[in-house]
């Protein structure tokens, strides 16, 4: 009488060996956020628009100034004492909106799609997600803003060459102003990302961003002059403009003070976003 030996099937999990253990590190979170940022078509489009706005409007302002000077026409008050730096950076007012809006989309977009739950499941400590998003996008916005500022100046300075506004990169304060413009645009992008994480709404974040950068400065002009002098210089947009201004004028902050105020607004927005991220559910 023969016996049938039992058939042993191999355990796939045992055959494959123990699963590798992946640790959540700051470097890996940064790489993940970098990949997510560039996987979106809106990133390429919006960054391209921001660069186009900074360069195109700077060139247009320089060409307008040169045409008025050549024709011997009387210049507007805004152009009378303009320099090549001021003309070239005219487009920062438009570029800041594009970069700020994309910053809102970087964070609030994940809440609108529900992807934030997967992100926080992978990074349970939460705050590294916010810091990584802000750092990755802030660096990208900084690079785009800086490239746009230098490109606009190099073209614009050639256009206004031979006029009272003419300047070169070797003139005192020019490089500092251009780098300051890039830093300003980078910090606006970080503020946008912080507002998106704080409000968790694309529409809400964009509305607050536009109000802070454009609406509130206009409304401040309706206040008494004494109040305007005490409030206006400390608004984010005014402080940023002071940070990259070539010359310090009366009633404005010095470049160092303007940068300090802008950094303070950025830190405040990030602190609010961090508080809500830790205290509330996704």
């Amino acid at each position: 009488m023969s016996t049938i030996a039992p058939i042993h099937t191999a355990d796939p999990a045992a055959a494959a060996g123990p699963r590798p253990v992946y640790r959540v590190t700051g470097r890996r979170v940064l790489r993940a956020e970098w990949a997510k940022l560039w996987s979106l078509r809106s990133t390429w489009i919006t960054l391209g628009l921001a660069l186009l706005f900074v360069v195109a409007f700077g060139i247009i302002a320089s060409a307008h100034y040169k045409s008025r000077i050549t024709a011997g026409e009387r210049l507007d008050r805004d152009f009378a004492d303009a320099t090549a730096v001021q003309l070239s950076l005219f487009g920062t007012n438009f570029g800041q909106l594009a970069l700020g809006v994309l910053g809102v989309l970087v964070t609030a977009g994940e809440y609108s799609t529900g992807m934030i739950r997967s992100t926080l499941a992978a990074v349970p400590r939460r705050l590294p997600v916010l810091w990584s998003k802000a750092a990755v996008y802030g660096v990208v916005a900084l690079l785009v803003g800086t490239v746009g500022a230098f490109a606009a100046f190099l073209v614009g300075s050639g256009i206004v060459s031979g006029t009272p506004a003419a300047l070169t990169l070797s003139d005192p304060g020019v490089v500092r102003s251009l780098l300051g413009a890039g830093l300003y645009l980078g910090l606006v992008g970080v503020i946008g990302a912080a507002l998106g994480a704080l409000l968790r709404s694309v529409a809400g974040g964009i509305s607050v961003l536009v109000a802070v950068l454009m609406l509130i400065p206009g409304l401040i002009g309706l206040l008494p002059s004494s109040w305007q002098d005490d409030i206006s210089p400390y608004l984010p947009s005014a402080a940023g403009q002071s940070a990259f201004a070539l010359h310090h004028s009366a009633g404005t902050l010095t470049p160092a003070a303007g940068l300090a105020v802008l950094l303070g607004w950025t830190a405040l927005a990030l602190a609010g976003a961090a508080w809500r991220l830790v205290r509330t559910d996704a």
Side-chain angles (χ1 to χ4, degrees), residues 78-160:
D78 295 337
F79 286 90
D81 299 323
T83 64
V85 170
Q86 182 180 350
L87 294 169
S88 300
L89 298 181
F90 184 79
T92 55
N93 293 326
F94 303 93
Q96 67 180 354
L97 290 179
L99 292 174
V101 166
L102 182 56
V104 173
L105 292 174
V106 166
T107 50
E110 287 201 32
Y111 285 95
S112 62
T113 61
M115 186 179 177
I116 189 65
R117 297 184 182 90
S118 300
T119 299
L120 296 181
V123 190
R125 293 180 61 185
R126 295 194 173 193
L127 284 182
V129 174
L130 177 62
W131 307 143
S132 297
K133 286 182 181 293
V136 167
Y137 181 64
V139 170
V140 171
L142 169 65
L143 293 176
V144 171
T146 303
V147 169
F150 274 89
F153 177 79
L154 292 175
V155 178
S157 61
I159 294 175
V160 300

Side-chain angles (χ1 to χ4, degrees), residues 25-192:
T25 63
R27 182 179 180 181
R28 286 174 174 165
V29 177
L30 285 171
R31 289 177 61 185
E33 294 303 328
W34 177 268
K36 284 192 289 186
L37 176 65
W38 294 110
S39 65
L40 299 174
R41 185 181 301 175
S42 59
T43 298
W44 297 91
I45 295 175
T46 310
L47 290 178
L49 287 175
L51 186 61
L52 176 64
F53 289 158
V54 173
V55 176
F57 283 101
I59 294 175
I60 291 172
S62 300
H64 176 74
Y65 175 88
K66 181 63 177 290
S67 65
R68 299 290 294 271
I69 287 289
T70 303
E73 299 179 5
R74 183 177 180 180
L75 295 173
D76 300 333
R77 184 183 62 176
D78 295 337
F79 286 90
D81 299 323
T83 64
V85 170
Q86 182 180 350
L87 294 169
S88 300
L89 298 181
F90 184 79
T92 55
N93 293 326
F94 303 93
Q96 67 180 354
L97 290 179
L99 292 174
V101 166
L102 182 56
V104 173
L105 292 174
V106 166
T107 50
E110 287 201 32
Y111 285 95
S112 62
T113 61
M115 186 179 177
I116 189 65
R117 297 184 182 90
S118 300
T119 299
L120 296 181
V123 190
R125 293 180 61 185
R126 295 194 173 193
L127 284 182
V129 174
L130 177 62
W131 307 143
S132 297
K133 286 182 181 293
V136 167
Y137 181 64
V139 170
V140 171
L142 169 65
L143 293 176
V144 171
T146 303
V147 169
F150 274 89
F153 177 79
L154 292 175
V155 178
S157 61
I159 294 175
V160 300
S161 178
T163 68
L167 288 172
T168 64
L169 287 174
S170 60
D171 288 315
V174 172
V175 173
R176 176 195 59 79
S177 294
L178 298 178
L179 292 176
L183 181 58
Y184 168 66
L185 293 174
L187 291 176
V188 168
V190 175
I191 291 174

